[in-house]
Amino acid sequence: MSETLADMKIGQQATIVEFNIDTIPLKLLEMGCLPGNRVELLQIAPLGDPLYFTINDSHVAIRIETARQIEVTF
């Protein structure tokens, strides 16, 4: 089983590997959520959703269901 954004711990960095482009909102793609880009988990909301990341110097909140669709490598 591959690792996803949802599997990351606070402060951990990873590289986006792949995802199904049909399941990812266009806004995330525009903000740099693309294969090969580095991502760091900054915070997790109190109830566990959403997750707050830095991607290409942009701060992005991503819902847990979307984060599970984005594969990463550590």
Side-chain angles (χ1 to χ4, degrees):
M1 186 170 160
S2 58
E3 302 285 335
T4 66
L5 289 180
D7 299 319
M8 293 178 66
K9 307 290 185 235
I10 293 176
Q12 193 171 30
Q13 295 184 0
T15 301
I16 298 172
V17 178
E18 70 175 293
F19 53 82
N20 181 348
I21 198 162
D22 296 328
T23 61
I24 304 301
L26 180 59
K27 188 69 171 176
L28 287 180
L29 300 175
E30 291 172 349
M31 296 183 82
C33 187
L34 299 167
N37 286 347
R38 296 289 294 167
V39 55
E40 178 181 358
L41 179 60
L42 299 178
Q43 292 180 322
I44 301 173
L47 297 177
D49 189 21
L51 308 175
Y52 191 58
F53 295 93
T54 297
I55 303 173
N56 281 352
D57 297 324
S58 295
H59 296 277
V60 181
I62 300 177
R63 300 177 87 190
I64 193 80
E65 61 196 44
T66 302
R68 289 185 180 126
Q69 304 295 320
I70 302 172
E71 294 181 24
V72 296
T73 184
F74 298 105

